[in-house]
DNA sequence: CGACATTGGGTAGTGCCACTCTCTAATGTG
DNA sequence: CACATTAGAGAGTGGCACTACCCAATGTCG
């Protein structure tokens, strides 16, 4: 398969595929001459994954490259890969030392244990800070409800991880972590809409 | 309070405040002369809200303006305001007519009823499509687990809505819909990390 | 009173990002 | 052998969220 066919089958302009090749998001094809390269199904699959990460996944090119690097690194343990994926995902800006207290309290209440420098912990603290700055203060009880729901999901996510090959597991973790987020958010909004319809009838 | 104090107290450069004024994200102050305007606490509060929406909330200026317009429109019913907020939030690109079948199936299973053109429904369909394009196909059973968890949260979100004034309710809905999303995502990742630690011990 | 800083209002520029265009030389293809 | 296509790389584009600059008018402080 040449680049034009690869691009066409993924629904991406050729120029964009070249850009991804340059950026290292998609591995180079097998050179069959100075001006020809051959691409296989694995390139097509990778290209589709890249598009999913960049589009619906909401990642930047730089973050996607880092995530894919974790996918590509063989020998990574699943737990480490999950950590790598989290470290690289959005939501962890170079924010200062936020107030971790309420965030840690949530974990204590749930009995969760995570790394001290867990990116998700910083992300949580940052999100709580933003809420406070916006003049809303979530109660510990509300947070625990959220944590309970998140716990069911996270538990399930990890239980689903295939144990066959590490590479497969890592890919699974990355894809699910990133691409199920929009699903979860959409479902929450649907639940809100349904609940709102029931609580405020006649408003429709 | 003058613009410099307003900007200082919100931790935002003066030039940026001017930009927000021009973009209509923050209402103009009360003119006390040709080159003076007075701002009050409500401007400060609004400015902080804008920063929260644009930063952690992840909204663009255009979307934030639309969200704030819903907040400002008096007489909107709460249910309608929630709909307006959802319509304007990210996740609803100009995607073609995606395959709504699996998305609708989730709702059927849960007994949820939403508008036929619900943005969240389209967002869900789009997210599922992206997953399939990336070569991952979530089972109906997995989706239902997610939906169950989302249901608990959405229910709670709506139950919390203050019934005092409509304006207050709308503000609450918008802020919580947008700003609790990062909280939920962070909690999910923390749950994953905890579960992963328990399932793959020794990997740490 | 007068030097100086600040303001509202507006225009133009900046830096970043994800592409997208263009070009070249080489190479397939009908 | 005319023509299209390719790899590879540099430069350009458009959108976005600021950010810098400018102006005349105005407030303020010695």
């Amino acid at each position: 398969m040449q680049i034009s066919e690869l691009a066409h089958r993924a629904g991406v302009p050729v120029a964009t595929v070249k850009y991804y090749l340059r950026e290292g998001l998609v591995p180079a094809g097998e050179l069959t001459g100075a001006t020809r390269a051959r691409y296989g199904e694995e390139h097509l699959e990778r290209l589709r994954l890249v598009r999913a990460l960049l589009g619906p996944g909401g990642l930047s090119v730089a973050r996607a490259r880092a995530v894919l690097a974790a996918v590509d690194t063989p020998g990574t343990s699943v737990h480490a890969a999950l950590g790598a994926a989290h470290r690289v995902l959005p939501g962890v800006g170079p924010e200062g030392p936020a107030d971790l207290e309420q965030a840690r309290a949530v974990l204590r209440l749930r009995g969760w244990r995570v790394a001290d420098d867990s990116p998700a912990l910083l992300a949580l603290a940052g999100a709580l800070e933003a809420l406070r700055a916006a003049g809303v203060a979530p109660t510990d009880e509300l947070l625990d409800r959220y944590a309970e729901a998140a716990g069911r999901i996270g538990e399930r996510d990890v239980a689903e991880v295939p144990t066959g090959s590490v590479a497969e597991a890592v890919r699974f973790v990355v894809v699910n972590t990133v691409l199920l987020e929009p699903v979860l958010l959409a479902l929450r909004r649907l639940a809100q809409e349904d609940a709102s319809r029931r609580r405020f009838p006649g408003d429709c």
Side-chain angles (χ1 to χ4, degrees), chain A residues 30-38:
Chain A
E30 179 199 354
L31 284 176
T32 64
T35 66
R36 277 310 123 116
R38 196 189 344 252

Side-chain angles (χ1 to χ4, degrees), chain A residues 102-103 105-106 124-146:
Chain A
Q102 195 177 16
V106 178
L124 177 58
L128 292 175
E129 201 124 303
L131 272 164
R132 281 193 294 269
V136 192
T139 63
D140 285 351
E141 197 263 330
L142 175 74
L143 284 179
D144 193 54
R145 285 258 195 156
Y146 267 67

